[in-house]
Amino acid sequence: MKRRTSPVAVAVAVTAALLLTACGGGDGNSRSSEKIAAADSGSNKASSSPSASDAVAGIDRPAMPFPSDFDMVFDIAKPSDAKEAAALGDAENFVRAINYGIVRQDPEDAAYKFYSTVGSTAQSYAKTQIKQYLDGGWTVTGVQRYSRGKVDLAADGKRASVSFCDDDSKFYGKEVKSKKILKTSPSDKDYYYFEVVMAASMEAKGLWTAENVKVQTKAIQCKG
């Protein structure tokens, strides 16, 4: 059992470039109601511990501890621009929160809601992913490796498109009751390419939340 990308979420999500163009003049997101300069990543390694964005002072972030048999490795360098670094860090936190919801077996878990805009496509996507694992009786095990990060910051500095690769070749589902690991043979299905549109919070300075997410399956450009 690998990630089951929701066809609805992917179909609804527009491309990051189009959404940034359409929303570039917006006022950012509110958690209560809730071209572009690119910054390519390098190879500084970060583990599944809280990301670089957690260094922003004054934000009470949810803890997301994982069991010892699961890890998320982010081999993505922090951009020098503070806004780009924060958007990237919270995009990482958004995908981390999805797995945390799966581990907790809770489609209403607070972590993914904290890192996504209320009522957004990204929030619906996260809930769907968690629910599919819950309905199947699965949790996660193994290692996910994220790399090749890139941040495109909108001209107004209030939105950013964050993209990265995900290597799931050593990531598996695990039956909650039996603890059986559902191993699969290596294939192109192990690779995903994420594009996440992030918005700067109006209420918590330094916090960014996911608005839209588009996931490409069989992303062979992410191999190697």
Side-chain angles (χ1 to χ4, degrees):
M1 169 59 190
K2 300 287 186 178
R3 173 184 293 104
R4 287 188 170 185
T5 303
S6 167
V8 174
V10 173
V12 170
V14 297
T15 66
L18 288 175
L19 186 129
L20 284 170
T21 300
C23 299
D27 295 321
N29 70 302
S30 168
R31 292 193 61 79
S32 63
S33 63
E34 304 238 7
K35 175 156 173 191
I36 300 173
D40 290 304
S41 72
S43 59
N44 291 349
K45 185 176 179 179
S47 72
S48 62
S49 59
S51 69
S53 67
D54 290 356
V56 178
I59 301 177
D60 185 15
R61 297 174 181 272
M64 292 186 283
F66 288 116
S68 59
D69 67 338
F70 177 66
D71 194 12
M72 297 175 72
V73 177
F74 290 90
D75 189 12
I76 300 175
K78 177 183 175 181
S80 58
D81 180 87
K83 287 185 177 181
E84 292 175 356
L88 171 63
D90 282 337
E92 293 175 359
N93 282 329
F94 171 66
V95 296
R96 184 182 286 111
I98 296 174
N99 281 324
Y100 186 63
I102 293 171
V103 167
R104 287 180 58 85
Q105 297 284 283
D106 183 3
E108 300 295 340
D109 186 70
Y112 81 83
K113 293 181 179 180
F114 184 87
Y115 289 111
S116 58
T117 306
V118 173
S120 66
T121 300
Q123 191 165 100
S124 296
Y125 172 81
K127 182 174 182 177
T128 297
Q129 296 302 300
I130 297 167
K131 193 172 185 303
Q132 285 176 336
Y133 272 80
L134 181 64
D135 290 347
W138 308 306
T139 185
V140 293
T141 190
V143 179
Q144 287 183 329
R145 294 187 176 275
Y146 294 82
S147 63
R148 306 184 193 184
K150 180 180 178 181
V151 182
D152 289 339
L153 188 65
D156 64 3
K158 296 178 180 179
R159 280 183 173 78
S161 170
V162 179
S163 58
F164 41 73
C165 287
D166 171 21
D167 177 355
D168 280 6
S169 58
K170 295 183 179 180
F171 165 79
Y172 310 102
K174 182 174 73 172
E175 294 180 355
V176 173
K177 291 184 178 181
S178 70
K179 310 299 182 185
K180 178 183 177 181
I181 297 175
L182 307 175
K183 288 197 172 183
T184 56
S185 299
S187 74
D188 290 346
K189 294 180 180 180
D190 293 330
Y191 300 92
Y192 300 85
Y193 181 73
F194 280 77
E195 295 176 272
V196 188
V197 175
M198 304 294 294
S201 172
M202 295 285 288
E203 298 176 359
K205 185 177 180 180
L207 176 66
W208 290 67
T209 58
E211 289 189 336
N212 275 268
V213 58
K214 184 177 181 180
V215 183
Q216 177 190 344
T217 59
K218 296 184 180 180
I220 58 174
Q221 73 270 29
C222 292
K223 293 178 67 174

